Amino acid sequence: MKNTKNLSAMLLGSLLLSIGACKPPQKKDEPVGEPREQVKPPEQIISLEESKSLFDLYTVNRAEIIKQYEIERHPDEEFKPARFTSYDYSTIKQYMAFIEQEAEGAGVEVSSLRFYFGNYPDKKTFEDGEKVVHPRQDAVFIVPTIDIDGQNYGFYIGEDGKAKLIKDAVGQKEMGSTQKKSQKAYASFAPSISEAPLLYKSQSLTLNRGHSGPPPNADY
């Protein structure tokens, strides 16, 4: 009986080896799975020459003026104007997924991302108690927008889960014919935007607190 089991095992092993030998070898350059579709560069991609020109013009027309202004305010302190703001790539991916999630829950669609220029205050903390990491330095913060009758508006999520217009929460006022157009657009969007935004327990979608500073030695 023992010899019979050994013979069966040997026959099974020989069969498996034969099947493996019949399989054609995979070529080294043969792609595994479906080939990935190539992504075309956006039309907004600029050349290194153009980016260098933008950087140099900012140096002359903006950075030097900012530096002189801050030196006059604080003559005894050295000041180097910030030239960039950076975020970890994983943070940007998380942010994109987050705002898409919040917009979908509110029944709206993100139409664009708006990059605002700002300036950190000359003090240690903000009004909400958060620490000012880069006092007096320029800043960038990102606001997602929604399209209302062809016009983009920054928004956040209210405590009722609906999209709210930032301009209505912070007291932004428009004048003349622009105000009438805005009111018309606002009225047409009434099912998704409430008339009385409540900031308490609302969810901001504005991204800030990046890493900023003078340019690294390897850039520009």
Side-chain angles (χ1 to χ4, degrees), residues 60-78:
V60 176
N61 298 333
R62 296 292 184 273
E64 287 300 322
I65 296 174
I66 294 172
K67 182 178 180 179
Q68 290 301 319
Y69 171 76
E70 292 296 341
I71 289 177
E72 291 177 3
R73 294 177 65 193
H74 299 274
D76 299 331
E77 297 180 15
E78 183 182 8

Side-chain angles (χ1 to χ4, degrees), residues 19-108:
I19 294 174
C22 295
K23 184 179 179 181
Q26 184 176 355
K27 298 180 181 179
K28 292 183 179 180
D29 57 347
E30 184 178 338
V32 178
E34 294 294 329
R36 179 179 296 181
E37 183 179 355
Q38 292 295 311
V39 178
K40 295 182 179 179
E43 294 180 358
Q44 292 83 357
I45 291 289
I46 64 175
S47 66
L48 295 181
E49 290 79 9
E50 186 173 345
S51 65
K52 172 64 173 172
S53 175
L54 295 177
F55 186 88
D56 290 344
L57 286 173
Y58 187 91
T59 299
V60 176
N61 298 333
R62 296 292 184 273
E64 287 300 322
I65 296 174
I66 294 172
K67 182 178 180 179
Q68 290 301 319
Y69 171 76
E70 292 296 341
I71 289 177
E72 291 177 3
R73 294 177 65 193
H74 299 274
D76 299 331
E77 297 180 15
E78 183 182 8
F79 185 86
K80 293 182 179 181
R83 299 302 307 270
F84 73 90
T85 297
S86 66
Y87 296 93
D88 293 336
Y89 184 56
S90 59
T91 298
I92 293 298
K93 291 200 296 183
Q94 179 183 358
Y95 178 65
M96 296 296 291
F98 174 69
I99 62 176
E100 289 175 0
Q101 164 193 283
E102 297 299 298
E104 182 178 358
V108 296

Side-chain angles (χ1 to χ4, degrees), residues 139-161:
V140 171
F141 58 96
I142 307 173
V143 175
T145 71
I146 48 179
D147 183 284
I148 303 177
D149 291 349
Q151 178 68 42
N152 288 329
Y153 293 92
F155 75 104
Y156 67 101
I157 305 299
E159 64 173 339
D160 58 359

